[in-house]
Amino acid sequence: MGEEEQNQNSTESFTAMKSSLRQAIEVISSLIYLSHSIKVFTVKWQLIRKKLEELSSGLMAVENCDSSQHTAVFSGLIPAVLATVNECHNLARSCVDLSYSGKLLMQSDLDVMIAKVDSHLKNLSGIYTAGILSQGFAIVVSRPNPGACKDDMRFYVGDLFTRMKIGDIEMKRQALVNLYQVVDEDERYVKLVVEVGDLVHVLVSFLDSPEMEIQEEASKIVSLLSGFDLCKGFLVGSGIIGPLVRVLENGSDMAKEGAARCLQRLTVNSDNAWSVSAHGGVTALLKICSSGEFRGELIGLACGLLRNLVGVEEIKRFIVEEGAIATFIKLARSREEIVQINSIEFLQNIASGDDSVHQMVVREGGIRALVRVLDPRSSTSSKTREVALRAIEKLCFSSQNCISMLMNYGFIDQLFFFLRNGEVSVQELALKVTSRLCSTSEEAKKAMGDAGFMPELVKLLDAKSYEVREMATEALSSLVSVPKNRKRFIQDDRNIGYLLQLLDQEEGISGNKKLLLSILMSLTNCNSGRRKIASSGYLKNIEKLAEAEVTDAKRLVKKLSANRFRSILSGLWHS
């Protein structure tokens, strides 16, 4: 046979192989579509469908390659695949039509089919391993347009999946980068990630890759996927906790950040918290927080993850025994926002409801550290200050000793500053903390009166927000219960008239109106207060409420009438 004839035969064989390959891919696609209509043996068909998707991706890889020199390699495989998928198509049609002869026989046939598809996948994998496709697998499938149909998107994800399985390091890395981009930009791809083959398992396996760039890209993707509830169960079910902890122990800083972020999202569930601990994750995280070797981003993520874990009592005890409280108090003084916020929230969580840990936080200097965060002269962000204020409210107001320490560290002056000058979110939180602090001790009330809180609270009495008005009124009511503060409040002639004026603005008999009346009642405990109320041009607002049978207003009128101005009031009452 001449060389020309050999070339012709080779070309004909290659063309026939390509035709059979295209036919097999199309039959598999049709079979996958048909399988979604099957309502019986659903678990087995689910398994068959996943294996068919993987087989389809592999065959598409063959089609995309220049495989003309390896026709003989595929000449046996592709006809066998075609025979199997045609047989499977017949089984699928029988299941859709419910025309099979018996359940046991069909179950047996489906098991045989699963084994056959598995065999084809192993043969294809052997070809990949031999490196036959690696040279020619360079054709890149174009990314689908934003409005693409699901089949085009599935095809693209399947191609990326194949590249991850058979490609060299650079091909794997690029496939991971492309997958991250599409999932990050279009949430529709999230569902495909869990549907296409065993892609999630492959991503998890890459976390243990000795190649740093593969591990880093895999870490980024699983971190992204962990933000979707749909994926969390698949990730945990694929055994991701152990590999993520190993990344925390031995991975690059970038991979560690992805792993910590992923674990932080997964440990909202306390069962997963146990799993992190069982794999040695707590020790790895404490090392990151205490070593001083890592970037603030990673330390902050580690703090946030440990904050989730301390909800489990045994883990909390271990962390305390490791002496971590002092470490986190030190981190609360960090200049990086993520570190400050997560370390403060960690301290708040670990001390919450546990008196012995709470005392340890106080002994180690926790209160001083929180007050330092609030220093108006520092460059601390508003978000961090909000977190510190919440922590002070949770940790410091249940103990007179803690309140005294707060006052000694200058907290009241700082609180006043943010009530007066803070951004809206910080100011509202400062008001809430002010309202709480007013109810803690007489010493605190006196100090707040001296610091100038009352004029600032008066300014907030007609705020647009009902909640703000209510908190300001509650705080003011508490402060004027102290004689020294009451005297100071009355000295400003505008205050009483303003309170009486506000009574007319409040709709109905609201809780806020009752608080305003309570403040006025408190002011009648001194002569100057009674005199100024009685001589105010807005006294009629109290009278109207008394006539409307408002109990607090009637009591107030009665108290005013019982003094030496009774005749004046009586004249006003009956005019």
Side-chain angles (χ1 to χ4, degrees):
M1 185 183 293
E3 185 178 339
E4 187 177 333
E5 192 175 349
Q6 283 183 338
N7 289 340
Q8 185 178 351
N9 289 340
S10 175
T11 302
E12 288 174 357
S13 297
F14 174 68
T15 303
M17 186 271 288
K18 279 287 191 180
S19 177
S20 297
L21 178 59
R22 171 61 7 213
Q23 185 183 356
I25 291 169
E26 289 174 354
V27 174
I28 291 173
S29 177
S30 171
L31 178 54
I32 290 170
Y33 180 80
L34 178 63
S35 71
H36 286 287
S37 304
I38 298 172
K39 306 299 181 188
V40 292
F41 308 108
T42 51
V43 174
K44 289 189 182 297
W45 277 109
Q46 230 171 12
L47 181 58
I48 290 171
R49 185 161 55 245
K50 292 196 87 167
K51 291 183 179 298
L52 287 171
E53 286 172 346
E54 191 173 342
L55 183 60
S56 179
S57 294
L59 293 176
M60 286 175 189
V62 175
E63 191 177 38
N64 285 338
C65 285
D66 177 16
S67 49
S68 57
Q69 297 178 25
H70 306 290
T71 303
V73 176
F74 300 108
S75 60
L77 173 66
I78 293 171
V81 169
L82 196 51
T84 296
V85 293
N86 281 325
E87 185 183 346
C88 190
H89 199 282
N90 293 334
L91 293 176
R93 179 51 63 189
S94 296
C95 287
V96 170
D97 299 338
L98 301 178
S99 57
Y100 50 87
S101 55
K103 284 187 176 181
L104 290 176
L105 181 58
M106 178 53 77
Q107 281 183 331
S108 175
D109 288 345
L110 293 176
D111 287 336
V112 170
M113 189 53 56
I114 290 167
K116 284 185 176 181
V117 178
D118 257 339
S119 175
H120 296 319
L121 286 170
K122 285 176 183 174
N123 289 336
L124 202 52
S125 179
I127 294 171
Y128 296 151
T129 304
I132 292 170
L133 295 180
S134 297
Q135 298 298 320
F137 193 38
I139 300 173
V140 178
V141 175
S142 298
R143 175 179 168 177
N145 294 324
C149 67
K150 189 173 181 181
D151 285 343
D152 288 346
M153 294 164 63
R154 182 185 293 275
F155 179 82
Y156 182 67
V157 173
D159 179 72
L160 295 178
F161 175 43
T162 303
R163 291 168 186 274
M164 290 178 204
K165 292 195 71 174
I166 70 170
D168 57 18
I169 292 172
E170 177 55 28
M171 195 180 293
K172 284 182 168 72
R173 189 196 69 78
Q174 192 57 53
L176 289 166
V177 169
N178 291 346
L179 182 63
Y180 179 89
Q181 287 175 346
V182 293
V183 174
D184 187 41
E185 294 171 16
D186 189 342
E187 291 185 9
R188 292 181 299 163
Y189 281 94
V190 173
K191 191 174 182 183
L192 294 174
V193 170
V194 299
E195 288 179 354
V196 172
D198 58 349
L199 179 51
V200 174
H201 282 88
V202 171
L203 293 173
V204 171
S205 71
F206 281 163
L207 293 171
D208 283 319
S209 172
E211 305 297 336
M212 183 185 298
E213 57 265 50
I214 300 298
Q215 187 187 75
E216 287 176 351
E217 294 301 334
S219 176
K220 276 178 63 179
I221 293 178
V222 297
S223 171
L224 179 63
L225 293 173
S226 66
F228 299 94
D229 290 339
L230 171 67
C231 296
K232 289 179 180 177
F234 284 97
L235 290 170
V236 174
S238 298
I240 197 171
I241 303 294
L244 287 173
V245 171
R246 288 193 287 276
V247 172
L248 289 177
E249 291 171 335
N250 303 309
S252 68
D253 284 8
M254 187 182 294
K256 281 182 167 80
E257 286 176 19
R261 192 175 283 109
C262 184
L263 284 170
Q264 190 174 335
R265 289 167 175 160
L266 295 177
T267 51
V268 175
N269 181 320
S270 61
D271 292 339
N272 296 336
W274 269 115
S275 184
V276 172
S277 177
H279 284 92
V282 177
T283 301
L285 291 165
L286 290 175
K287 182 180 178 182
I288 289 171
C289 291
S290 61
S291 69
E293 299 174 6
F294 301 103
R295 292 191 326 126
E297 181 72 17
L298 176 57
I299 296 171
L301 289 166
C303 291
L305 176 48
L306 286 166
R307 175 194 61 204
N308 290 354
L309 301 183
V310 294
V312 178
E313 184 65 26
E314 290 79 358
I315 296 176
K316 178 170 78 172
R317 289 292 153 210
F318 174 77
I319 290 173
V320 171
E321 288 166 7
E322 289 293 300
I325 299 297
T327 297
F328 286 93
I329 290 173
K330 181 180 178 182
L331 291 175
R333 303 188 187 107
S334 167
R335 293 182 179 180
E336 298 198 46
E337 182 183 89
I338 187 173
V339 177
Q340 277 195 306
I341 287 175
N342 287 342
S343 59
I344 291 169
E345 289 182 342
F346 168 86
L347 290 168
Q348 181 180 319
N349 282 17
I350 199 168
S352 179
D354 190 317
D355 192 52
S356 63
V357 178
H358 181 275
Q359 289 178 18
M360 190 179 296
V361 170
V362 174
R363 280 198 310 272
E364 296 282 354
I367 293 179
R368 181 186 285 275
L370 291 173
V371 173
R372 279 183 178 176
V373 172
L374 294 173
D375 187 344
R377 295 167 297 180
S378 72
S379 58
T380 309
S381 69
S382 294
K383 187 176 179 182
T384 307
R385 286 182 170 131
E386 288 177 42
V387 172
L389 278 169
R390 288 194 191 96
I392 285 172
E393 183 192 7
K394 296 286 185 185
L395 297 177
C396 302
F397 287 179
S398 58
S399 154
Q400 287 300 318
N401 179 48
C402 290
I403 293 167
S404 298
M405 291 176 75
L406 280 175
M407 292 170 66
N408 290 337
Y409 294 146
F411 173 67
I412 285 181
D413 289 336
Q414 293 178 344
L415 185 62
F416 176 70
F417 176 87
F418 292 114
L419 183 66
R420 189 177 198 176
N421 306 303
E423 294 179 16
V424 174
S425 57
V426 179
Q427 186 184 44
E428 288 192 6
L429 191 54
L431 176 59
K432 182 182 178 185
V433 174
T434 296
S435 185
R436 280 285 315 277
L437 187 57
C438 283
S439 62
T440 58
S441 71
E442 291 295 300
E443 287 71 26
K445 291 177 190 177
K446 290 175 184 175
M448 293 168 81
D450 292 341
F453 275 74
M454 290 189 295
E456 297 306 316
L457 292 171
V458 169
K459 292 176 188 175
L460 297 171
L461 293 179
D462 67 342
K464 289 182 180 179
S465 163
Y466 174 78
E467 187 180 7
V468 169
R469 295 199 307 271
E470 187 174 41
M471 286 190 294
T473 311
E474 282 180 356
L476 189 58
S477 177
S478 183
L479 289 180
V480 298
S481 66
V482 176
K484 184 180 178 182
N485 291 340
R486 190 160 56 234
K487 184 177 179 182
R488 179 182 279 118
F489 184 82
I490 292 168
Q491 283 173 349
D492 188 334
D493 293 336
R494 295 168 296 180
N495 286 340
I496 289 178
Y498 187 53
L499 293 180
L500 292 168
Q501 199 176 346
L502 288 173
L503 282 175
D504 195 40
Q505 294 176 11
E506 286 287 329
E507 295 289 331
I509 310 303
S510 65
N512 205 38
K513 185 171 287 186
K514 289 183 178 180
L515 284 168
L516 288 170
L517 289 168
S518 172
I519 294 172
L520 289 165
M521 181 64 80
S522 180
L523 297 178
T524 61
N525 288 329
C526 67
N527 290 333
S528 58
R530 288 195 298 272
R531 187 171 61 251
K532 287 189 177 184
I533 293 172
S535 61
S536 170
Y538 297 102
L539 181 62
K540 60 182 184 298
N541 292 337
I542 299 177
E543 295 173 357
K544 282 197 302 186
L545 292 174
E547 289 170 356
E549 298 297 318
V550 176
T551 305
D552 291 340
K554 290 174 73 175
R555 285 176 54 230
L556 185 54
V557 168
K558 185 177 180 181
K559 188 166 185 180
L560 290 168
S561 301
N563 62 50
R564 62 192 181 88
F565 299 106
R566 181 171 183 172
S567 59
I568 299 172
L569 287 169
S570 181
L572 289 168
W573 184 255
H574 296 293
S575 60

